[in-house]
């Protein structure tokens, strides 16, 4: 079985390499196009080097702390997770900066939407295949090295052990948790840092260039335009890849951790204990499920790359995703039947026989599709909500923003309703393990999802290059059409990430409760968290408020950097008069430096909050407080993430709808109002929203790792002992 997983991971990485060099061999176009793309690539490379240099230092410190306080293998697994996540982000950034100019040139040479889409999608597929390949390869190494070679998957090791500090845990759960934490920390820095960079540049370029100077988007006269295009690569590509890799890994390890504690505590002892053979199947099943999904996604991507593409990009992208999802369903269904047939599954509460975990995963897939469709309805200008925002823009900026807020707020209810239904359904089918499988199902074709998501920023960059290279306007029309579809697909991808984060967090939370079991707790151990307990309720209140603090810090960070960008662009327009007449060249480098410095300076605090908050809460107030905090944070963050992602996407596409000629088109008062609305939405959809689902899982994993410590060692317990 491990052989299949390794083959699937390596095949995905090999396919990524083929597509990488396939895109690289394409013609880059004119000298001006090559010059501009080179500047974008140089800026992105410089930022990612500085960012990864900082992240590496922090990662080493965290790994050392985990190695000393918990176990050496937790620290090693953390480093492996960080390397896998960082590698995916770096490769995604590289392919994006290589693909953008090729996409623009393909539109210039062919004038075909379909042919241009194929180049952008091939570039995006490198990111998708890297996310799936690296995450699966890293987990397979964890299973092989620590699970098999060091024996952590052996029956005698699936027990609660105590380390030299008295911290109790099941060794393999701590190893995979360390791996997941490594992925999560890198994703947090990539998303936050990249998000601050791209939105500071984007806001600065739009607020001065579009609304004050009345020059087109991506005009070479705008000093911030290169920084804006750099940001698309470091934020919307590198950050995106690390984000969804983290979601994918988090979903996979949630089932592994849950199965391990279920086996130890014998939660269903009344109906019979869980055998070691059965738990072995439960521990390996998610990995093989993911491997089948990987192969299926490769087929879906290959189909789109070899077929003749129509001029309907949304249809073509949906077709690739649907093929991937269908093949995943068929392949995993057949595998599940044979894998669990003959197993004594009564003790697990599998109510639909051997196919129970598959049905739970199907519930997750259906949920992901529904959440995606709901996101599309809220953000695509093919539907009424976004059209209403563009219509409101005719009456000014205030009504554009008001209508966008209304769309975003209303867009939260039905996805949350669907998510709640999925959790209930999955639990009814296969218990808490089924909930974890629902999260895995939702992300089982993550390779296709990321491929589609990444193509959007590549198309956006291609549009910028075409504008700055002064290509025929027909080229920009093609890239704008592709970019508009990309905004919608990005909102759909964010919906998948948020939904899976919620389900994975639920199963990790259950594992958090199990992890409070001590070595002498065996049969009859039950989950217990009393929400009317004052400490738990207090934790819930604090946890619910935390995403708002976290989001406020992120928005403020973007605003700080954006203000500096606005001041710099105004300075250049004022002090270098020849810029607007095309007689002088703007100083692009200074704007890139402003975004880079702002991102590197401001990304530390949000990451520290996500790591330190559960630790501080635990050591001060104990496990009950942290349990409540996890519930509050998860619920609040899911809703806030949906609101920010959908409102931001709707504002963006409302602007693009006007730019297509509706309500006066470009240069109209409605367009100016929509630019401001889009600017308000930028940090919401590309910085805040994507970071919140990472916040959920970092807090859950940190709490899981440390709960056995602060369960007994906390300030409240110490004070109580003194009073007694």
């Amino acid at each position: 079985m491990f052989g299949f997983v390794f083959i699937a991971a390596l095949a995905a990485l090999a396919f990524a390499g083929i597509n990488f060099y396939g895109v690289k061999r394409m013609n880059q176009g004119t000298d001006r196009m090559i010059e501009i793309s080179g500047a974008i690539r140089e800026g992105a490379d410089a930022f990612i080097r500085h960012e990864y240099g900082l992240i590496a230092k922090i990662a080493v410190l965290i790994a050392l702390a985990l190695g000393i306080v918990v176990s050496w293998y937790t620290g090693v697994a953390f480093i492996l997770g960080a390397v896998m996540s960082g590698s995916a982000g770096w490769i995604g950034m590289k392919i994006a900066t290589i693909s953008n100019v090729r996409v623009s040139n393909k539109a210039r040479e062919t004038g075909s939407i379909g042919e241009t889409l194929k180049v952008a999608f091939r570039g995006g597929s490198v990111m998708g295949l890297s996310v799936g390949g690296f995450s699966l390869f890293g987990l397979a190494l964890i299973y092989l090295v620590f699970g098999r070679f060091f024996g952590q998957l052996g029956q005698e090791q699936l027990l609660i052990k105590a380390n030299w500090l008295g911290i109790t845990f099941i060794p393999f759960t701590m190893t995979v948790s360390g791996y997941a934490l490594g992925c999560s920390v890198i994703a947090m820095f990539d998303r936050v840092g990249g998000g601050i960079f791209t939105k500071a540049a984007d806001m600065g370029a739009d607020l001065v260039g579009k609304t004050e100077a009345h020059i087109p988007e991506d005009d070479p006269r705008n000093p911030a335009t290169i920084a804006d295009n750099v940001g698309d690569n470091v934020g919307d590509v590198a950050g995106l890849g690390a984000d969804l890799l983290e979601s994918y890994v988090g979903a996979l390890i949630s089932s592994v951790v849950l199965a391990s504690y279920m086996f130890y505590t014998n939660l269903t002892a009344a109906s019979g204990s869980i055998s070691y053979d059965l738990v072995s199947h439960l521990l390996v099943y998610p990995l093989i499920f993911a491997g089948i999904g990987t192969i299926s996604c490769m087929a879906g991507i290959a189909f789109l790359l070899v077929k003749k593409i129509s001029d309907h990009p949304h249809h073509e992208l949906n077709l690739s995703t649907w093929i991937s999802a269908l093949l995943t369903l068929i392949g995993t269904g057949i595998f599940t039947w044979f894998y669990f047939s003959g197993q004594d599954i009564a003790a697990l509460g599998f109510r639909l026989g051997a196919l129970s975990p598959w049905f739970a995963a199907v519930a997750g897939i259906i949920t992901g599709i529904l959440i995606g469709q709901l996101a599309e309805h809220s953000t695509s200008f093919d539907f009424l909500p976004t059209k209403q925002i563009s219509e409101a823009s005719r009456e000014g900026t205030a009504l554009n923003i008001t209508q966008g807020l209304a769309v975003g707020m209303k867009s939260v209810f039905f996805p949350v309703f669907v998510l709640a239904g999925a959790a209930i359904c999955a639990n009814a089918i296969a218990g808490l393990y089924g909930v974890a499988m629902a999260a895995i199902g939702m992300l089982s074709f993550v390779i296709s999802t990321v491929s589609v998501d990444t193509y959007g920023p590549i198309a956006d960059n291609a549009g910028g290059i075409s504008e700055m290279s002064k290509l025929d306007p027909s080229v920009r029309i093609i890239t704008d059409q592709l970019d508009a579809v990309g905004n919608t697909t990005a909102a759909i991808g964010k919906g998948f990430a948020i939904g899976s984060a919620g389900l994975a967090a639920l199963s990790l939370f259950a594992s958090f409760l199990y992890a409070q079991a001590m070595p002498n707790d065996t049969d009859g151990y039950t989950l217990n968290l009393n929400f009317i307990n004052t400490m738990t309720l207090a934790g819930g209140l604090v946890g619910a408020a935390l995403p708002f603090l976290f989001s406020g810090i992120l928005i403020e960070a973007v605003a700080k950097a954006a203000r500096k960008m606005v001041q710099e662009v105004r300075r250049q327009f004022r002090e270098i008069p020849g810029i607007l007449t095309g007689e002088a060249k703007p100083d692009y480098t200074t704007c890139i430096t402003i975004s880079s410095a702002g991102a590197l300076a401001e990304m530390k605090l949000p990451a520290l909050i996500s790591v330190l908050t559960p630790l501080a809460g635990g050591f001060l107030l104990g496990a009950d407080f942290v349990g409540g905090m996890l519930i509050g944070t998860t619920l609040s963050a899911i809703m806030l993430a949906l609101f920010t992602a959908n409102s931001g996407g709707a504002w963006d596409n409302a602007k693009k709808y006007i730019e297509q000629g509706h309500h006066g088109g470009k240069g109209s008062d409605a367009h100016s109002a929509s630019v401001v609305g889009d600017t308000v939405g930028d940090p919401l959809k590309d910085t805040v929203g994507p970071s919140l689902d990472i916040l959920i899982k970092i807090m859950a994993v940190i709490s899981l790792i440390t709960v056995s410590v602060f369960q007994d060692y906390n300030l409240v317990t110490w004070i109580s002992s003194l009073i007694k």
Side-chain angles (χ1 to χ4, degrees):
M1 289 297 182
F2 283 119
F4 168 75
V5 176
F6 272 111
I7 290 171
L10 293 174
L13 294 174
F15 195 8
I18 292 170
N19 285 345
F20 185 101
Y21 287 104
V23 172
K24 194 174 181 179
R25 286 196 299 267
M26 295 180 180
N27 186 14
Q28 297 184 70
T30 66
D31 290 342
R32 177 61 175 164
M33 293 169 68
I34 294 172
E35 179 188 355
I36 293 168
S37 70
I40 295 171
R41 184 162 54 252
E42 183 179 340
D45 284 341
F47 174 75
I48 214 75
R49 281 197 304 271
H50 283 95
E51 183 186 47
Y52 276 20
L54 175 63
I55 293 173
K57 296 174 184 175
I58 295 172
V60 169
L61 291 175
I62 294 174
L64 287 172
L66 289 172
I68 295 171
V69 176
V70 183
S71 67
W72 68 269
Y73 42 82
T74 306
V76 172
F78 175 89
I79 291 294
L80 180 62
V83 169
M84 294 295 108
S85 181
S87 298
W90 183 82
I91 289 175
M93 185 275 298
K94 295 295 291 186
I95 188 59
T97 57
I98 289 171
S99 300
N100 51 19
V101 68
R102 276 85 173 172
V103 171
S104 185
N105 188 60
K106 181 62 70 172
R108 181 180 73 94
E109 290 179 339
T110 65
S112 167
I113 294 177
E115 291 300 314
T116 307
L117 167 66
K118 187 176 287 190
V119 179
F121 181 73
R122 172 168 279 186
S125 73
V126 175
M127 179 81 266
L129 291 162
S130 296
V131 165
F134 279 117
S135 59
L136 201 57
F137 183 72
L139 273 174
L141 281 177
I142 291 290
Y143 270 72
L144 183 64
V145 175
F146 296 100
R148 298 297 188 197
F149 183 78
F150 287 104
Q152 290 185 353
L153 286 174
Q155 185 172 358
E156 69 283 352
Q157 289 296 314
L158 288 177
L159 301 172
I160 293 181
K161 309 283 186 178
N163 71 358
W164 68 282
L165 285 174
I167 300 174
T168 56
F169 51 81
I170 297 175
F172 192 66
T173 67
M174 201 58 68
T175 303
V176 295
S177 295
Y179 179 79
L181 185 61
C183 295
S184 296
V185 169
I186 300 304
M188 175 63 76
F189 278 109
D190 269 359
R191 259 310 190 187
V192 171
I196 294 171
F197 186 111
T198 185
K199 293 306 108 179
D202 195 7
M203 290 172 70
D206 285 354
L207 288 175
V208 184
K210 285 185 178 180
T211 61
E212 295 181 11
H214 301 290
I215 58 177
E217 186 172 8
D218 297 313
D219 193 294
R221 294 172 293 176
N222 193 327
T225 192
I226 294 291
D228 185 11
N229 282 273
V230 170
D232 289 338
N233 296 285
V234 299
D236 296 339
V237 178
L240 165 76
D243 177 8
L244 285 176
L245 184 147
E246 180 266 350
S247 293
Y248 192 39
V249 170
L252 288 169
I253 73 105
S254 67
S255 61
V256 173
V257 174
L258 191 62
S260 299
Y261 277 104
M262 286 173 60
F263 171 66
Y264 176 74
T265 56
N266 286 319
L267 295 179
T268 54
S271 57
S273 62
I274 303 171
S275 69
Y276 172 70
D277 183 56
L278 179 55
V279 80
S280 297
H281 279 66
L282 294 176
L283 291 170
V284 177
Y285 176 70
L287 223 61
I288 302 173
F289 196 104
I292 294 171
T294 298
I295 299 297
S296 301
C297 288
M298 290 171 62
I301 291 169
F303 178 80
L304 185 60
L305 293 179
V306 300
K307 76 181 289 286
K308 181 176 174 60
I309 303 274
S310 70
D311 289 339
H312 301 285
H314 207 160
H315 169 75
E316 299 292 351
L317 293 172
N318 282 342
L319 182 62
S320 175
T321 303
W322 279 107
I323 289 173
S324 301
L326 181 61
L327 291 176
T328 299
L329 280 174
I330 295 171
T332 54
I334 295 171
F335 162 72
T336 303
W337 173 258
F338 286 104
Y339 193 65
F340 283 108
S341 291
Q343 290 289 320
D344 182 13
I345 57 177
L348 295 174
F350 285 4
R351 293 173 175 82
L352 296 180
L355 285 174
S356 293
W358 180 79
F359 279 118
V362 171
I365 292 174
I366 295 171
T367 300
I369 293 170
L370 288 174
I371 291 176
Q373 293 302 309
L374 289 168
E376 182 177 357
H377 181 268
S378 298
T379 60
S380 173
F381 54 56
D382 292 330
F383 299 98
L384 184 61
T386 297
K387 288 181 178 179
Q388 287 176 328
I389 297 175
S390 59
E391 175 75 22
S393 302
R394 300 173 63 182
E395 277 70 49
T397 303
L399 288 180
N400 169 280
I401 294 173
T402 302
Q403 189 66 40
L405 289 172
V407 168
M409 289 179 178
K410 290 194 296 182
S411 73
V412 172
F413 179 78
F414 288 106
V416 170
F417 184 82
V418 170
L419 193 60
I424 294 170
C425 180
N427 185 70
I429 293 171
L432 287 170
Y433 187 82
V435 176
M437 286 307 306
I440 293 171
M442 197 178 292
L443 291 172
S444 57
F445 45 96
V446 69
I447 291 175
S448 290
T449 305
V450 174
S451 299
V452 170
D453 277 4
T454 306
Y455 120 94
I458 291 173
D460 189 15
N461 251 211
I465 291 172
S466 69
E467 186 80 35
M468 288 183 280
S469 302
K470 299 181 180 179
L471 302 182
D472 190 274
S474 62
V475 175
R476 186 62 194 257
I477 291 173
I478 292 173
T479 59
D480 278 354
Q481 285 180 290
L482 297 178
D483 184 31
V485 174
N487 282 328
T488 299
T489 58
I492 293 171
K494 290 183 180 80
F496 271 76
I498 294 163
S500 64
L503 294 174
L506 179 58
S507 55
L508 284 172
F509 176 70
S511 299
F512 167 81
L513 296 178
Y514 296 154
Q516 297 178 47
M518 294 290 108
N520 59 340
D521 295 331
T522 54
D523 283 357
Y525 185 79
T526 57
L527 305 182
N528 184 25
L529 186 71
N530 184 1
F531 210 77
I532 63 172
N533 176 292
T534 303
M535 197 65 73
T536 306
L537 182 59
L541 291 171
V542 173
L546 184 63
F548 289 87
L549 173 65
F550 182 82
S551 301
I553 291 171
L554 291 179
I555 293 172
E556 190 174 47
V558 172
K560 282 182 186 176
R563 282 198 297 271
K564 293 179 181 178
M565 188 69 70
V566 167
Q567 291 166 3
E568 174 60 22
V569 175
R570 285 173 177 167
R571 183 196 68 79
Q572 292 196 35
F573 282 156
R574 184 177 61 253
E575 298 180 4
I576 314 175
I579 290 179
L580 289 174
T581 60
E583 299 171 357
K585 185 178 179 181
D587 178 8
Y588 299 126
T589 304
T590 299
C591 292
I592 294 173
T593 301
I594 289 172
S595 271
S596 184
L600 292 172
E602 300 293 339
M603 70 181 187
K604 303 184 193 73
L605 181 58
L608 287 173
I609 286 174
S610 63
V611 173
L612 296 180
T613 300
L615 295 177
F619 285 117
L620 289 174
L621 300 171
D624 286 344
F625 181 87
V626 174
M629 187 166 62
L630 291 179
I631 293 175
T633 298
T634 300
L635 296 178
S636 176
I638 288 173
M639 297 174 200
L640 193 55
L642 287 168
F643 163 70
T644 53
N646 291 339
S647 59
W651 269 313
D652 196 349
N653 275 340
K655 179 196 69 174
K656 286 183 168 57
Y657 185 71
I658 293 173
E659 290 175 343
Q660 290 188 352
H662 302 91
H663 307 306
K666 290 184 178 181
S668 65
D669 290 341
H671 183 238
S672 295
S674 72
V675 170
V676 176
D678 175 39
T679 304
V680 172
D682 274 340
L684 298 182
K685 70 180 175 69
D686 292 325
T687 308
V688 174
S691 301
L692 284 168
D693 61 285
I694 305 174
L695 171 71
I696 295 171
K697 289 193 287 292
I698 286 183
M699 289 183 63
V701 175
I702 287 286
S703 300
L704 175 63
I705 291 173
T706 55
V707 63
S708 62
V709 185
F710 54 67
Q711 183 181 10
D712 294 319
Y713 302 101
N714 60 77
L715 184 62
V716 172
T717 301
W718 180 70
I719 292 174
S720 298
S721 66
L722 292 179
I723 295 174
K724 291 179 180 179

